Amino acid sequence: ERLRLLIVTGENSYEHDWTGVNNTLRRQLQETGRFDVRVIEDFSSATPETLAPYKAVLLNYLGRWNYTDTDEKRWGATAERALFDSVSNGGGVVVYHASFNMGSPSWPEFERMAGGMMRPFHGSRRSPPNGFMVRVVDRAHPVTHGMREYFWTLNDDMYTNMKWDPEARVHVLATAHDSAAS
């Protein structure tokens, strides 16, 4: 049986083609034969019933045009509560790329759910796009099962010095090292 996955999207920074990324993610996930993927571009009307059919949610959403904008487009209390409750009740969440900048720093519940966040004004940064080695540290996990222990990624972003929520339950699947990070 395919796992049902919902991609939540609709607002991202000027430098991200979120529509194209969603199409690519959806296609890649569905081609594995393991996922049935749907995309929602307006999550503001989401309820617990909206999320009930899905095993996991993938967030490809930032809520602002620029990382430094203070005005963030959030979903509203009902939709946000539906997401938090879904995750609290065992639903999965994948915080994808720029979504690690959501709510920065005024949304502690989101930060706890995500595990860690980018805090550019507190030392977090995106390393310059480059090739780097990734080490899969949990090769028994369903997400990484069958992957090689090491692989290279080319022209990719690496987030460094993220702020980790001390109450978050984080399970690390893979690591990389930025020798220029402090």
Side-chain angles (χ1 to χ4, degrees), residues 74-103:
R74 292 196 21 197
W75 302 308
T78 301
E80 292 167 8
R81 176 59 32 216
L83 177 62
F84 295 141
D85 288 348
S86 173
V87 173
S88 292
N89 292 324
V93 65
V94 176
V95 181
Y96 180 76
H97 197 61
S99 299
F100 276 107
N101 290 280
M102 285 177 63

Side-chain angles (χ1 to χ4, degrees), residues 9 19 33 56 96 101 104 109-110 122 126-127 129-130 146-147 156-157 171:
T9 191
T19 304
Y96 180 76
N101 290 280
S104 180
E109 194 167 19
F110 181 85
H122 296 98
R126 186 174 82 182
S127 298
N130 202 348
M147 292 179 73
D156 204 347
D157 293 332
H171 183 91

Side-chain angles (χ1 to χ4, degrees), residues 13-140:
S13 73
Y14 69 93
E15 62 188 2
H16 292 96
D17 173 17
W18 54 268
T19 304
V21 168
N22 295 329
N23 292 334
T24 299
L25 288 170
R26 183 172 193 234
R27 180 182 46 78
Q28 287 176 335
L29 289 165
Q30 289 193 155
E31 285 178 355
T32 69
R34 297 174 64 190
F35 298 94
D36 177 14
V37 182
R38 300 289 184 262
V39 177
I40 186 171
E41 292 184 5
D42 183 1
F43 193 67
S44 65
S45 61
T47 64
E49 293 75 24
T50 306
L51 296 176
Y54 300 98
K55 291 285 189 188
V57 172
L58 186 150
L59 301 175
N60 184 24
Y61 185 90
L62 179 60
R64 58 186 107 156
W65 180 245
N66 190 319
Y67 293 108
T68 59
D69 289 348
T70 56
D71 187 28
E72 180 178 46
K73 183 178 178 187
R74 292 196 21 197
W75 302 308
T78 301
E80 292 167 8
R81 176 59 32 216
L83 177 62
F84 295 141
D85 288 348
S86 173
V87 173
S88 292
N89 292 324
V93 65
V94 176
V95 181
Y96 180 76
H97 197 61
S99 299
F100 276 107
N101 290 280
M102 285 177 63
S104 180
S106 63
W107 200 2
E109 194 167 19
F110 181 85
E111 186 169 286
R112 192 165 304 113
M113 179 188 71
M117 299 301 293
M118 291 289 291
R119 295 290 183 256
F121 302 110
H122 296 98
S124 297
R125 69 182 181 87
R126 186 174 82 182
S127 298
N130 202 348
F132 54 88
M133 177 82 67
V134 175
R135 178 173 181 234
V136 179
V137 295
D138 184 352
R139 296 172 60 207

